[in-house]
Every structure is written in C-alpha cells, then in structure tokens.
Amino acid sequence: MNELKKFVESLGSNAPFLAFGAFMGALIYARHRRLKVWEAFVAIILGVGASVAIGPFMAHWLGFKDTPSTYAALGFLIGMLVKEVSEIVFKVADELEANPGFITDFIRRKTGKK
C-alpha cells in the first residue's frame, strides 16, 4: 500500500512534465512530417493524452528515477511515437474490417501452413 501511495504522489507532481514533454515530442513529430494543422493538432492531443495516461506506468514498470527530467524525457518519447503507433493500429483495423481473416491469413503465410 505504501508503494501505491508513493506512485500516486509521483504521478501528481510529474504529470505536467509528462504533458510538456509529450507536447514538444508531438510538435517536433508534426513539424518533421509536415503535417497539416489539424493533423498536427490531433498528433499533439494523442501524444499528450497517451503520455499522461501510460507514462507513469511505464516509468514505474521500467524502474526509472522519480525525477521531473525523467518524466519529461519519457513524455517526449511517447509524444513522438504515439502518432505512428496509432496510424498502424488504424491501418490494421481498416484491414480487419475489409478482410476479417487478415490475421489468420498472415499467420498462415508466415508459418507456411495452409
């Protein structure tokens, strides 16, 4: 119970650093990819939201130090990567909608089974 209390306290004090890091990461990602304004806005919202939602759990799980700079760096990485990951998830979802056997067909091709 003491560890949970410590985790919640660190989350509250480090959430702004996660959000700022994710904002900067998503902003750099959007600029690098030359996204349109609305796409950049979506990338920033996704980056900040994902960073604040999963960043503390990743920091705790990976055993990172409980410092603001660590949370800002983790937020930056999540902000940079979440747009790419979300695009992959949406592409897979679209493929599954078009072809529900997409995953089993892929596994069969990779394993050589018919």
Side-chain angles (χ1 to χ4, degrees):
M1 189 67 175
N2 190 23
E3 189 172 327
L4 178 62
K5 183 179 177 185
K6 193 166 79 172
F7 174 73
V8 170
E9 288 173 356
S10 71
L11 169 62
S13 62
N14 290 313
F17 297 104
L18 273 169
F20 179 73
F23 176 80
M24 294 306 291
L27 191 63
I28 289 171
Y29 170 82
R31 178 72 178 125
H32 177 69
R33 295 288 302 249
R34 294 191 170 102
L35 298 179
K36 297 174 186 166
V37 173
W38 69 272
E39 291 174 327
F41 182 74
V42 169
I44 290 169
I45 295 298
L46 282 173
V48 171
S51 177
V52 171
I54 66 172
F57 299 107
M58 287 183 64
H60 184 72
W61 178 59
L62 295 171
F64 289 157
K65 289 182 180 177
D66 191 24
T67 62
S69 59
T70 301
Y71 280 87
L74 185 61
F76 182 83
L77 291 174
I78 293 171
M80 291 270 305
L81 295 175
V82 76
K83 182 70 168 119
E84 286 291 327
V85 172
S86 65
E87 287 178 7
I88 291 169
V89 168
F90 286 132
K91 285 179 184 178
V92 169
D94 288 342
E95 186 65 33
L96 280 172
E97 183 180 16
N99 179 13
F102 166 68
I103 294 176
T104 55
D105 293 342
F106 176 78
I107 293 170
R108 285 186 190 129
R109 280 195 314 264
K110 292 297 178 183
T111 60
K113 296 180 181 178
K114 294 184 181 186

Short mmCIF file of all heavy atoms in Angstrom, two decimals, residues 15-81:
data_model
loop_
_atom_site.label_atom_id
_atom_site.label_comp_id
_atom_site.label_asym_id
_atom_site.label_seq_id
_atom_site.Cartn_x
_atom_site.Cartn_y
_atom_site.Cartn_z
N ALA A 15 3.04 14.80 -13.61
CA ALA A 15 2.15 14.81 -14.78
C ALA A 15 2.38 16.02 -15.67
O ALA A 15 2.37 15.89 -16.90
CB ALA A 15 0.70 14.72 -14.34
N PRO A 16 2.61 17.23 -15.12
CA PRO A 16 2.88 18.35 -16.03
C PRO A 16 4.15 18.17 -16.86
O PRO A 16 4.20 18.60 -18.02
CB PRO A 16 3.03 19.55 -15.08
CG PRO A 16 2.32 19.16 -13.85
CD PRO A 16 2.47 17.67 -13.74
N PHE A 17 5.14 17.52 -16.30
CA PHE A 17 6.37 17.28 -17.06
C PHE A 17 6.14 16.27 -18.17
O PHE A 17 6.68 16.41 -19.27
CB PHE A 17 7.50 16.82 -16.13
CG PHE A 17 7.87 17.84 -15.12
CD1 PHE A 17 7.46 17.71 -13.80
CD2 PHE A 17 8.60 18.97 -15.49
CE1 PHE A 17 7.79 18.67 -12.87
CE2 PHE A 17 8.93 19.94 -14.56
CZ PHE A 17 8.52 19.79 -13.23
N LEU A 18 5.33 15.26 -17.89
CA LEU A 18 4.96 14.30 -18.93
C LEU A 18 4.22 15.01 -20.06
O LEU A 18 4.49 14.79 -21.24
CB LEU A 18 4.06 13.20 -18.35
CG LEU A 18 4.72 12.00 -17.73
CD1 LEU A 18 3.70 11.18 -16.98
CD2 LEU A 18 5.41 11.16 -18.77
N ALA A 19 3.25 15.84 -19.69
CA ALA A 19 2.44 16.54 -20.69
C ALA A 19 3.31 17.48 -21.52
O ALA A 19 3.17 17.53 -22.75
CB ALA A 19 1.31 17.31 -20.00
N PHE A 20 4.20 18.23 -20.88
CA PHE A 20 5.06 19.15 -21.62
C PHE A 20 6.01 18.39 -22.56
O PHE A 20 6.19 18.77 -23.71
CB PHE A 20 5.86 20.03 -20.66
CG PHE A 20 6.79 20.98 -21.38
CD1 PHE A 20 6.27 22.07 -22.05
CD2 PHE A 20 8.15 20.76 -21.39
CE1 PHE A 20 7.11 22.94 -22.74
CE2 PHE A 20 9.00 21.61 -22.07
CZ PHE A 20 8.47 22.71 -22.75
N GLY A 21 6.60 17.31 -22.06
CA GLY A 21 7.48 16.51 -22.90
C GLY A 21 6.75 15.94 -24.09
O GLY A 21 7.26 15.95 -25.22
N ALA A 22 5.54 15.44 -23.87
CA ALA A 22 4.75 14.88 -24.96
C ALA A 22 4.34 15.96 -25.95
O ALA A 22 4.35 15.73 -27.17
CB ALA A 22 3.50 14.19 -24.40
N PHE A 23 4.00 17.13 -25.44
CA PHE A 23 3.65 18.24 -26.33
C PHE A 23 4.81 18.57 -27.26
O PHE A 23 4.64 18.72 -28.47
CB PHE A 23 3.25 19.47 -25.50
CG PHE A 23 2.97 20.70 -26.32
CD1 PHE A 23 1.76 20.85 -26.96
CD2 PHE A 23 3.93 21.68 -26.46
CE1 PHE A 23 1.51 21.97 -27.73
CE2 PHE A 23 3.70 22.80 -27.23
CZ PHE A 23 2.48 22.95 -27.86
N MET A 24 5.99 18.68 -26.70
CA MET A 24 7.16 19.00 -27.51
C MET A 24 7.49 17.87 -28.49
O MET A 24 7.82 18.12 -29.65
CB MET A 24 8.37 19.29 -26.62
CG MET A 24 8.20 20.54 -25.77
SD MET A 24 7.79 22.02 -26.72
CE MET A 24 9.30 22.28 -27.61
N GLY A 25 7.39 16.62 -28.03
CA GLY A 25 7.66 15.49 -28.92
C GLY A 25 6.69 15.43 -30.08
O GLY A 25 7.08 15.23 -31.23
N ALA A 26 5.39 15.61 -29.79
CA ALA A 26 4.39 15.57 -30.85
C ALA A 26 4.53 16.77 -31.78
O ALA A 26 4.32 16.64 -32.99
CB ALA A 26 2.99 15.54 -30.23
N LEU A 27 4.90 17.91 -31.24
CA LEU A 27 5.09 19.09 -32.06
C LEU A 27 6.27 18.90 -33.03
O LEU A 27 6.18 19.22 -34.21
CB LEU A 27 5.34 20.31 -31.17
CG LEU A 27 5.31 21.67 -31.83
CD1 LEU A 27 3.94 21.95 -32.39
CD2 LEU A 27 5.68 22.74 -30.81
N ILE A 28 7.35 18.35 -32.54
CA ILE A 28 8.51 18.08 -33.40
C ILE A 28 8.16 17.02 -34.44
O ILE A 28 8.53 17.12 -35.60
CB ILE A 28 9.73 17.68 -32.55
CG1 ILE A 28 10.23 18.90 -31.79
CG2 ILE A 28 10.84 17.08 -33.40
CD1 ILE A 28 11.28 18.61 -30.76
N TYR A 29 7.42 15.99 -34.02
CA TYR A 29 6.98 14.96 -34.96
C TYR A 29 6.13 15.59 -36.07
O TYR A 29 6.34 15.31 -37.25
CB TYR A 29 6.17 13.89 -34.23
CG TYR A 29 5.49 12.93 -35.15
CD1 TYR A 29 6.18 11.85 -35.70
CD2 TYR A 29 4.16 13.11 -35.52
CE1 TYR A 29 5.56 10.98 -36.58
CE2 TYR A 29 3.54 12.25 -36.39
CZ TYR A 29 4.23 11.19 -36.92
OH TYR A 29 3.62 10.34 -37.78
N ALA A 30 5.18 16.44 -35.68
CA ALA A 30 4.29 17.07 -36.66
C ALA A 30 5.07 17.96 -37.61
O ALA A 30 4.81 17.98 -38.82
CB ALA A 30 3.21 17.87 -35.94
N ARG A 31 6.03 18.68 -37.10
CA ARG A 31 6.85 19.56 -37.94
C ARG A 31 7.73 18.74 -38.88
O ARG A 31 7.89 19.07 -40.04
CB ARG A 31 7.71 20.47 -37.05
CG ARG A 31 8.60 21.38 -37.79
CD ARG A 31 7.81 22.48 -38.45
NE ARG A 31 8.74 23.38 -39.13
CZ ARG A 31 8.66 23.69 -40.40
NH1 ARG A 31 7.69 23.22 -41.14
NH2 ARG A 31 9.54 24.49 -40.93
N HIS A 32 8.31 17.68 -38.35
CA HIS A 32 9.18 16.82 -39.17
C HIS A 32 8.41 16.15 -40.30
O HIS A 32 8.90 16.04 -41.42
CB HIS A 32 9.83 15.76 -38.28
CG HIS A 32 10.67 14.78 -39.02
ND1 HIS A 32 11.88 15.14 -39.60
CD2 HIS A 32 10.49 13.47 -39.29
CE1 HIS A 32 12.39 14.08 -40.20
NE2 HIS A 32 11.57 13.06 -40.02
N ARG A 33 7.20 15.69 -40.00
CA ARG A 33 6.38 15.02 -41.02
C ARG A 33 5.60 16.00 -41.89
O ARG A 33 4.89 15.58 -42.80
CB ARG A 33 5.40 14.05 -40.33
CG ARG A 33 6.03 12.90 -39.59
CD ARG A 33 6.59 11.87 -40.54
NE ARG A 33 5.56 11.37 -41.41
CZ ARG A 33 5.05 10.15 -41.39
NH1 ARG A 33 5.50 9.29 -40.53
NH2 ARG A 33 4.10 9.80 -42.22
N ARG A 34 5.70 17.28 -41.61
CA ARG A 34 4.99 18.34 -42.33
C ARG A 34 3.49 18.06 -42.38
O ARG A 34 2.86 18.08 -43.45
CB ARG A 34 5.56 18.51 -43.73
CG ARG A 34 6.97 19.02 -43.72
CD ARG A 34 7.41 19.42 -45.12
NE ARG A 34 8.67 20.12 -45.06
CZ ARG A 34 9.83 19.59 -45.35
NH1 ARG A 34 9.91 18.32 -45.72
NH2 ARG A 34 10.93 20.30 -45.29
N LEU A 35 2.93 17.80 -41.22
CA LEU A 35 1.50 17.54 -41.12
C LEU A 35 0.71 18.83 -41.28
O LEU A 35 1.20 19.92 -41.00
CB LEU A 35 1.18 16.91 -39.76
CG LEU A 35 1.83 15.57 -39.44
CD1 LEU A 35 1.42 15.11 -38.04
CD2 LEU A 35 1.46 14.53 -40.46
N LYS A 36 -0.53 18.68 -41.73
CA LYS A 36 -1.43 19.82 -41.80
C LYS A 36 -1.75 20.26 -40.37
O LYS A 36 -1.51 19.53 -39.42
CB LYS A 36 -2.71 19.43 -42.54
CG LYS A 36 -2.47 19.02 -43.96
CD LYS A 36 -3.75 18.52 -44.58
CE LYS A 36 -3.44 17.98 -45.96
NZ LYS A 36 -4.53 17.19 -46.50
N VAL A 37 -2.34 21.43 -40.24
CA VAL A 37 -2.60 21.99 -38.92
C VAL A 37 -3.51 21.06 -38.11
O VAL A 37 -3.24 20.79 -36.94
CB VAL A 37 -3.22 23.40 -39.03
CG1 VAL A 37 -3.66 23.91 -37.67
CG2 VAL A 37 -2.23 24.36 -39.66
N TRP A 38 -4.57 20.57 -38.71
CA TRP A 38 -5.48 19.72 -37.95
C TRP A 38 -4.84 18.38 -37.62
O TRP A 38 -5.09 17.80 -36.56
CB TRP A 38 -6.81 19.53 -38.68
CG TRP A 38 -6.72 18.71 -39.93
CD1 TRP A 38 -6.45 19.13 -41.18
CD2 TRP A 38 -6.90 17.29 -40.02
NE1 TRP A 38 -6.44 18.08 -42.06
CE2 TRP A 38 -6.72 16.93 -41.38
CE3 TRP A 38 -7.19 16.30 -39.10
CZ2 TRP A 38 -6.82 15.62 -41.80
CZ3 TRP A 38 -7.30 14.99 -39.55
CH2 TRP A 38 -7.11 14.68 -40.89
N GLU A 39 -4.00 17.86 -38.51
CA GLU A 39 -3.29 16.61 -38.22
C GLU A 39 -2.29 16.82 -37.08
O GLU A 39 -2.11 15.95 -36.23
CB GLU A 39 -2.56 16.10 -39.46
CG GLU A 39 -3.47 15.60 -40.54
CD GLU A 39 -2.71 15.24 -41.81
OE1 GLU A 39 -1.69 15.89 -42.11
OE2 GLU A 39 -3.16 14.32 -42.50
N ALA A 40 -1.63 17.98 -37.09
CA ALA A 40 -0.69 18.30 -36.01
C ALA A 40 -1.43 18.42 -34.69
O ALA A 40 -0.95 17.95 -33.65
CB ALA A 40 0.05 19.59 -36.33
N PHE A 41 -2.60 19.04 -34.72
CA PHE A 41 -3.41 19.17 -33.50
C PHE A 41 -3.79 17.80 -32.96
O PHE A 41 -3.69 17.55 -31.76
CB PHE A 41 -4.66 20.01 -33.80
CG PHE A 41 -5.52 20.24 -32.61
CD1 PHE A 41 -5.13 21.12 -31.62
CD2 PHE A 41 -6.74 19.58 -32.48
CE1 PHE A 41 -5.93 21.34 -30.51
CE2 PHE A 41 -7.54 19.79 -31.38
CZ PHE A 41 -7.14 20.67 -30.39
N VAL A 42 -4.21 16.91 -33.84
CA VAL A 42 -4.56 15.54 -33.43
C VAL A 42 -3.34 14.82 -32.87
O VAL A 42 -3.42 14.13 -31.84
CB VAL A 42 -5.19 14.75 -34.60
CG1 VAL A 42 -5.31 13.27 -34.28
CG2 VAL A 42 -6.55 15.32 -34.95
N ALA A 43 -2.19 14.98 -33.51
CA ALA A 43 -0.96 14.35 -33.03
C ALA A 43 -0.60 14.84 -31.64
O ALA A 43 -0.20 14.06 -30.77
CB ALA A 43 0.18 14.61 -34.00
N ILE A 44 -0.75 16.14 -31.40
CA ILE A 44 -0.43 16.70 -30.09
C ILE A 44 -1.40 16.20 -29.04
O ILE A 44 -0.99 15.81 -27.94
CB ILE A 44 -0.40 18.24 -30.17
CG1 ILE A 44 0.82 18.68 -30.99
CG2 ILE A 44 -0.38 18.86 -28.78
CD1 ILE A 44 0.82 20.14 -31.36
N ILE A 45 -2.68 16.19 -29.35
CA ILE A 45 -3.68 15.70 -28.38
C ILE A 45 -3.43 14.23 -28.06
O ILE A 45 -3.45 13.82 -26.89
CB ILE A 45 -5.11 15.91 -28.92
CG1 ILE A 45 -5.42 17.39 -29.05
CG2 ILE A 45 -6.14 15.22 -28.04
CD1 ILE A 45 -5.39 18.16 -27.76
N LEU A 46 -3.19 13.42 -29.09
CA LEU A 46 -2.90 12.00 -28.87
C LEU A 46 -1.63 11.81 -28.04
O LEU A 46 -1.58 10.99 -27.13
CB LEU A 46 -2.74 11.26 -30.20
CG LEU A 46 -4.01 10.90 -30.95
CD1 LEU A 46 -3.66 10.33 -32.31
CD2 LEU A 46 -4.84 9.93 -30.17
N GLY A 47 -0.59 12.57 -28.37
CA GLY A 47 0.68 12.45 -27.66
C GLY A 47 0.56 12.80 -26.19
O GLY A 47 1.04 12.07 -25.32
N VAL A 48 -0.07 13.93 -25.91
CA VAL A 48 -0.22 14.36 -24.52
C VAL A 48 -1.12 13.40 -23.75
O VAL A 48 -0.81 13.00 -22.62
CB VAL A 48 -0.75 15.81 -24.46
CG1 VAL A 48 -1.11 16.20 -23.03
CG2 VAL A 48 0.28 16.77 -25.01
N GLY A 49 -2.22 13.01 -24.36
CA GLY A 49 -3.15 12.09 -23.68
C GLY A 49 -2.52 10.75 -23.37
O GLY A 49 -2.63 10.24 -22.26
N ALA A 50 -1.84 10.19 -24.35
CA ALA A 50 -1.19 8.89 -24.13
C ALA A 50 -0.07 8.99 -23.12
O ALA A 50 0.12 8.10 -22.29
CB ALA A 50 -0.67 8.34 -25.46
N SER A 51 0.66 10.08 -23.17
CA SER A 51 1.78 10.25 -22.25
C SER A 51 1.30 10.34 -20.81
O SER A 51 1.85 9.69 -19.92
CB SER A 51 2.56 11.51 -22.62
OG SER A 51 3.59 11.71 -21.70
N VAL A 52 0.28 11.13 -20.57
CA VAL A 52 -0.24 11.28 -19.21
C VAL A 52 -0.91 9.98 -18.75
O VAL A 52 -0.84 9.63 -17.58
CB VAL A 52 -1.19 12.49 -19.12
CG1 VAL A 52 -1.91 12.55 -17.79
CG2 VAL A 52 -0.42 13.78 -19.36
N ALA A 53 -1.52 9.26 -19.70
CA ALA A 53 -2.23 8.03 -19.32
C ALA A 53 -1.27 6.86 -19.04
O ALA A 53 -1.45 6.14 -18.06
CB ALA A 53 -3.21 7.63 -20.42
N ILE A 54 -0.28 6.66 -19.90
CA ILE A 54 0.57 5.47 -19.73
C ILE A 54 1.99 5.77 -19.28
O ILE A 54 2.71 4.87 -18.88
CB ILE A 54 0.62 4.63 -21.03
CG1 ILE A 54 1.32 5.38 -22.16
CG2 ILE A 54 -0.74 4.16 -21.43
CD1 ILE A 54 1.57 4.53 -23.38
N GLY A 55 2.39 7.03 -19.33
CA GLY A 55 3.74 7.40 -18.94
C GLY A 55 4.13 7.00 -17.53
O GLY A 55 5.20 6.41 -17.31
N PRO A 56 3.29 7.29 -16.52
CA PRO A 56 3.66 6.91 -15.15
C PRO A 56 3.81 5.40 -14.98
O PRO A 56 4.70 4.95 -14.26
CB PRO A 56 2.50 7.44 -14.30
CG PRO A 56 1.88 8.49 -15.12
CD PRO A 56 2.08 8.10 -16.55
N PHE A 57 2.95 4.64 -15.64
CA PHE A 57 3.05 3.19 -15.52
C PHE A 57 4.33 2.67 -16.18
O PHE A 57 4.97 1.77 -15.66
CB PHE A 57 1.81 2.53 -16.15
CG PHE A 57 0.54 2.92 -15.47
CD1 PHE A 57 -0.35 3.78 -16.09
CD2 PHE A 57 0.24 2.46 -14.20
CE1 PHE A 57 -1.52 4.17 -15.46
CE2 PHE A 57 -0.92 2.84 -13.57
CZ PHE A 57 -1.80 3.69 -14.20
N MET A 58 4.69 3.26 -17.32
CA MET A 58 5.93 2.86 -17.98
C MET A 58 7.14 3.22 -17.13
O MET A 58 8.07 2.42 -17.01
CB MET A 58 6.04 3.51 -19.36
CG MET A 58 5.10 2.93 -20.38
SD MET A 58 5.32 3.67 -22.00
CE MET A 58 6.96 3.16 -22.39
N ALA A 59 7.13 4.41 -16.54
CA ALA A 59 8.26 4.83 -15.69
C ALA A 59 8.40 3.91 -14.49
O ALA A 59 9.51 3.50 -14.12
CB ALA A 59 8.07 6.27 -15.24
N HIS A 60 7.28 3.56 -13.89
CA HIS A 60 7.30 2.66 -12.73
C HIS A 60 7.73 1.26 -13.14
O HIS A 60 8.55 0.62 -12.49
CB HIS A 60 5.93 2.65 -12.07
CG HIS A 60 5.87 1.84 -10.82
ND1 HIS A 60 6.46 2.25 -9.65
CD2 HIS A 60 5.32 0.63 -10.56
CE1 HIS A 60 6.26 1.34 -8.72
NE2 HIS A 60 5.58 0.35 -9.25
N TRP A 61 7.18 0.78 -14.25
CA TRP A 61 7.48 -0.57 -14.73
C TRP A 61 8.94 -0.71 -15.14
O TRP A 61 9.59 -1.73 -14.88
CB TRP A 61 6.55 -0.90 -15.90
CG TRP A 61 6.77 -2.24 -16.52
CD1 TRP A 61 6.69 -3.45 -15.91
CD2 TRP A 61 7.10 -2.49 -17.88
NE1 TRP A 61 6.95 -4.45 -16.82
CE2 TRP A 61 7.21 -3.89 -18.03
CE3 TRP A 61 7.30 -1.68 -18.98
CZ2 TRP A 61 7.52 -4.47 -19.24
CZ3 TRP A 61 7.60 -2.29 -20.19
CH2 TRP A 61 7.71 -3.67 -20.30
N LEU A 62 9.49 0.32 -15.79
CA LEU A 62 10.87 0.27 -16.24
C LEU A 62 11.86 0.64 -15.14
O LEU A 62 13.07 0.50 -15.33
CB LEU A 62 11.06 1.21 -17.44
CG LEU A 62 10.30 0.81 -18.70
CD1 LEU A 62 10.38 1.90 -19.74
CD2 LEU A 62 10.83 -0.51 -19.26
N GLY A 63 11.37 1.10 -14.01
CA GLY A 63 12.22 1.40 -12.88
C GLY A 63 13.02 2.69 -13.03
O GLY A 63 14.12 2.80 -12.50
N PHE A 64 12.45 3.67 -13.75
CA PHE A 64 13.14 4.94 -13.92
C PHE A 64 13.14 5.73 -12.62
O PHE A 64 12.29 5.54 -11.76
CB PHE A 64 12.48 5.78 -15.01
CG PHE A 64 12.70 5.26 -16.39
CD1 PHE A 64 11.82 5.58 -17.41
CD2 PHE A 64 13.77 4.46 -16.70
CE1 PHE A 64 12.00 5.13 -18.69
CE2 PHE A 64 13.98 3.99 -17.99
CZ PHE A 64 13.08 4.33 -18.98
N LYS A 65 14.09 6.65 -12.49
CA LYS A 65 14.14 7.53 -11.33
C LYS A 65 12.92 8.43 -11.33
O LYS A 65 12.39 8.79 -12.37
CB LYS A 65 15.40 8.39 -11.36
CG LYS A 65 16.67 7.64 -11.11
CD LYS A 65 17.84 8.59 -11.10
CE LYS A 65 19.13 7.85 -10.86
NZ LYS A 65 20.29 8.76 -10.91
N ASP A 66 12.52 8.82 -10.14
CA ASP A 66 11.34 9.66 -9.98
C ASP A 66 11.76 11.13 -10.00
O ASP A 66 11.70 11.83 -9.00
CB ASP A 66 10.64 9.30 -8.66
CG ASP A 66 9.29 9.93 -8.54
OD1 ASP A 66 8.70 10.25 -9.59
OD2 ASP A 66 8.82 10.13 -7.40
N THR A 67 12.21 11.60 -11.17
CA THR A 67 12.64 12.98 -11.32
C THR A 67 11.86 13.63 -12.46
O THR A 67 11.43 12.95 -13.39
CB THR A 67 14.15 13.08 -11.64
OG1 THR A 67 14.40 12.41 -12.88
CG2 THR A 67 14.98 12.44 -10.54
N PRO A 68 11.69 14.94 -12.40
CA PRO A 68 10.96 15.62 -13.48
C PRO A 68 11.60 15.44 -14.85
O PRO A 68 10.90 15.31 -15.85
CB PRO A 68 10.99 17.09 -13.04
CG PRO A 68 11.12 17.05 -11.56
CD PRO A 68 11.96 15.84 -11.28
N SER A 69 12.93 15.46 -14.91
CA SER A 69 13.58 15.32 -16.22
C SER A 69 13.33 13.94 -16.82
O SER A 69 13.20 13.81 -18.04
CB SER A 69 15.08 15.59 -16.10
OG SER A 69 15.67 14.70 -15.19
N THR A 70 13.26 12.93 -15.99
CA THR A 70 12.96 11.59 -16.48
C THR A 70 11.56 11.53 -17.07
O THR A 70 11.34 10.98 -18.15
CB THR A 70 13.09 10.55 -15.34
OG1 THR A 70 14.41 10.61 -14.83
CG2 THR A 70 12.77 9.16 -15.82
N TYR A 71 10.61 12.12 -16.36
CA TYR A 71 9.23 12.12 -16.85
C TYR A 71 9.09 12.97 -18.11
O TYR A 71 8.33 12.61 -19.03
CB TYR A 71 8.27 12.60 -15.76
CG TYR A 71 7.96 11.52 -14.76
CD1 TYR A 71 8.76 11.31 -13.66
CD2 TYR A 71 6.85 10.71 -14.94
CE1 TYR A 71 8.48 10.30 -12.75
CE2 TYR A 71 6.56 9.70 -14.04
CZ TYR A 71 7.38 9.50 -12.95
OH TYR A 71 7.09 8.50 -12.06
N ALA A 72 9.81 14.07 -18.20
CA ALA A 72 9.75 14.90 -19.41
C ALA A 72 10.33 14.14 -20.61
O ALA A 72 9.78 14.19 -21.71
CB ALA A 72 10.50 16.20 -19.19
N ALA A 73 11.43 13.43 -20.40
CA ALA A 73 12.04 12.65 -21.49
C ALA A 73 11.12 11.52 -21.92
O ALA A 73 10.95 11.26 -23.12
CB ALA A 73 13.39 12.09 -21.04
N LEU A 74 10.52 10.83 -20.97
CA LEU A 74 9.59 9.76 -21.30
C LEU A 74 8.37 10.31 -22.04
O LEU A 74 7.90 9.73 -23.01
CB LEU A 74 9.17 9.01 -20.03
CG LEU A 74 8.29 7.79 -20.22
CD1 LEU A 74 9.01 6.74 -21.05
CD2 LEU A 74 7.90 7.21 -18.88
N GLY A 75 7.87 11.44 -21.59
CA GLY A 75 6.75 12.09 -22.28
C GLY A 75 7.11 12.47 -23.70
O GLY A 75 6.31 12.32 -24.62
N PHE A 76 8.33 12.97 -23.89
CA PHE A 76 8.80 13.33 -25.23
C PHE A 76 8.79 12.11 -26.15
O PHE A 76 8.29 12.17 -27.27
CB PHE A 76 10.21 13.91 -25.14
CG PHE A 76 10.77 14.36 -26.44
CD1 PHE A 76 10.46 15.61 -26.95
CD2 PHE A 76 11.60 13.53 -27.18
CE1 PHE A 76 10.98 16.03 -28.16
CE2 PHE A 76 12.12 13.93 -28.39
CZ PHE A 76 11.81 15.19 -28.89
N LEU A 77 9.32 10.99 -25.67
CA LEU A 77 9.35 9.78 -26.49
C LEU A 77 7.95 9.27 -26.81
O LEU A 77 7.67 8.88 -27.95
CB LEU A 77 10.16 8.70 -25.79
CG LEU A 77 11.65 8.96 -25.69
CD1 LEU A 77 12.32 7.88 -24.85
CD2 LEU A 77 12.27 9.03 -27.07
N ILE A 78 7.09 9.27 -25.82
CA ILE A 78 5.72 8.81 -26.06
C ILE A 78 5.02 9.75 -27.04
O ILE A 78 4.33 9.31 -27.96
CB ILE A 78 4.94 8.69 -24.74
CG1 ILE A 78 5.52 7.58 -23.89
CG2 ILE A 78 3.45 8.43 -25.00
CD1 ILE A 78 4.97 7.51 -22.48
N GLY A 79 5.22 11.06 -26.87
CA GLY A 79 4.62 12.03 -27.78
C GLY A 79 5.08 11.86 -29.21
O GLY A 79 4.31 12.04 -30.15
N MET A 80 6.35 11.50 -29.38
CA MET A 80 6.88 11.28 -30.74
C MET A 80 6.34 10.00 -31.36
O MET A 80 6.09 9.94 -32.56
CB MET A 80 8.40 11.20 -30.71
CG MET A 80 9.11 12.48 -30.40
SD MET A 80 9.52 13.52 -31.77
CE MET A 80 10.45 12.49 -32.85
N LEU A 81 6.17 8.97 -30.57
CA LEU A 81 5.83 7.66 -31.11
C LEU A 81 4.33 7.37 -31.22
O LEU A 81 3.93 6.52 -32.00
CB LEU A 81 6.48 6.57 -30.26
CG LEU A 81 8.00 6.56 -30.27
CD1 LEU A 81 8.53 5.53 -29.29
CD2 LEU A 81 8.51 6.27 -31.66
#
